[in-house]
Amino acid sequence: TLNSDHYPFWSNGFDAVHFIENYVPAAHNPYYHTLSDTDDKLNFSMAGKLASESPFITLRTSVTNAM
């Protein structure tokens, strides 16, 4: 959608993957996209797991989309 952080990428022909913690309204990060959305609120454990897994997720998505 036009409101997505990824829209500029998608509209220019680039694929984009969005990783976000707790994307459930009841558990949503209350600091997301606010002035208080700072690195001290980051879940570093989850970020580390995503960083180690994201190349595999991206590759799997690319291969699936190519088929």
Side-chain angles (χ1 to χ4, degrees):
T1 69
L2 294 174
N3 294 327
S4 172
D5 292 345
H6 296 83
Y7 177 76
F9 295 96
W10 293 328
S11 65
N12 286 288
F14 295 97
D15 291 331
V17 179
H18 186 171
F19 296 107
I20 188 168
E21 60 186 334
N22 299 325
Y23 196 69
V24 176
H28 192 64
N29 181 342
Y31 306 107
Y32 185 64
H33 282 195
T34 70
L35 292 175
S36 297
D37 190 0
T38 53
D39 62 355
D40 61 308
K41 314 281 188 326
L42 183 64
N43 179 335
F44 283 97
S45 175
M46 185 186 83
K49 290 177 184 175
L50 286 173
S52 67
E53 295 294 326
S54 62
F56 302 108
I57 294 167
T58 305
L59 178 61
R60 184 174 53 210
T61 303
S62 297
V63 169
T64 301
N65 288 340
M67 296 176 141

